[in-house]
Amino acid sequence: MIRPPAPASGAASTLRTPPPSNYDLASRRPGQALRDKIRADCPSLIQRSLAWTLRRSENASWRTGLRGELIVSRELARLRRHGWRTLHSIPLSPTWDIDHLLIGPGGVFSINTKHHRGKTVWVGDHVARINHGEGRPYPRSSRREAAVVKKVLDRGCGFAVEVKPVLVFVKPAKLTVQPSLQDVRAIENRKLSALSPLTGVLSPEQVDAVYAVARDQRSWTSAV
């Protein structure tokens, strides 16, 4: 059981103060990191349209990823009425971000979105295989992201915060998860609703404190 934060100290009060707008990650759109990559690769509308027409491999991959993150963000938005908060595209470095962070009464979930629509997906303890292809280190990456998030939240909140990694696969034809995979939750996007009734991990005050730390971009400085 996670203990509630100490009441009404100066630090606790600061945690509940929204950060300045230029540091507030709550205003960050889903897939913002991918949007920035696409825009930098093709600055003009004409260039972006041409890249889309020609299906440039890297640009097309970013666009596919962006569509996946948008789909997942809409699923997560439905959890708000159950007391959950969501942040998107939290920047850890110029090349790495947390796709989504879900914070609520059932705990904290670091969500890694993978868009493999219409493909068969197999997930083991350390790798995932798409259409029986080469192993991709999705579970390992998800564990690493959750560990980074935990370090940041523990430091900022002043109390231990359990962070669970979640791999969300968008519209796969079939998803098979090895029973031995226990520490990473691997689900289809439509199964995100199963998280909404979870309770008993964070109090409302803790949810506020964790969200306040997570939304402040300065909390993530030197996270990796």
Side-chain angles (χ1 to χ4, degrees):
M1 175 71 71
I2 299 174
R3 295 183 180 278
S9 68
S13 299
T14 301
L15 285 175
R16 289 165 177 78
T17 302
S21 58
N22 56 319
Y23 291 109
D24 193 353
L25 297 177
S27 62
R28 213 165 149 81
R29 294 188 295 171
Q32 186 63 57
L34 291 171
R35 296 174 198 268
D36 293 344
K37 287 180 179 179
I38 293 168
R39 189 174 296 109
D41 186 54
C42 302
S44 72
L45 179 59
I46 293 175
Q47 287 175 309
R48 290 195 289 274
S49 298
L50 182 60
W52 177 256
T53 301
L54 296 177
R55 298 294 195 273
R56 285 173 50 183
S57 59
E58 190 172 51
N59 197 286
S61 175
W62 292 337
R63 290 178 181 276
T64 298
L66 176 57
R67 287 195 295 271
E69 291 188 34
L70 292 175
I71 290 170
V72 169
S73 72
R74 289 194 289 269
E75 299 278 0
L76 294 174
R78 298 189 178 99
L79 276 60
R80 290 176 188 162
R81 63 180 179 270
H82 300 285
W84 293 84
R85 314 274 191 92
T86 309
L87 294 168
H88 306 285
S89 196
I90 297 173
L92 300 180
S93 76
T95 59
W96 186 17
D97 73 320
I98 303 293
D99 293 341
H100 316 276
L101 191 63
L102 183 65
I103 303 164
V108 179
F109 297 89
S110 175
I111 297 174
N112 192 348
T113 296
K114 300 299 179 185
H115 192 180
H116 296 294
R117 182 171 185 163
K119 299 180 180 179
T120 61
V121 178
W122 176 92
V123 187
D125 290 347
H126 303 291
V127 299
R129 299 185 188 278
I130 312 303
N131 284 346
H132 310 288
E134 292 185 4
R136 307 188 187 191
Y138 292 167
R140 292 200 297 267
S141 297
S142 293
R143 291 186 188 100
R144 184 185 176 203
E145 288 185 359
V148 171
V149 174
K150 176 175 174 54
K151 181 178 72 173
V152 169
L153 297 181
D154 283 355
R155 178 180 62 199
C157 294
F159 58 91
V161 180
E162 183 180 3
V163 180
K164 297 181 180 179
V166 181
L167 266 172
V168 178
F169 293 93
V170 177
K171 299 183 178 181
K174 181 180 180 181
L175 174 61
T176 302
V177 182
Q178 285 293 97
S180 57
L181 183 63
Q182 298 292 322
D183 61 331
V184 179
R185 188 186 295 247
I187 57 176
E188 298 180 31
N189 59 287
R190 61 186 179 180
K191 299 294 185 180
L192 280 166
S193 59
L195 300 178
S196 64
L198 299 179
T199 59
V201 176
L202 295 178
S203 68
E205 294 78 14
Q206 286 177 306
V207 171
D208 288 344
V210 171
Y211 181 70
V213 169
R215 71 185 291 186
D216 192 332
Q217 186 171 348
R218 295 168 296 186
S219 300
W220 303 90
T221 303
S222 303
V224 293

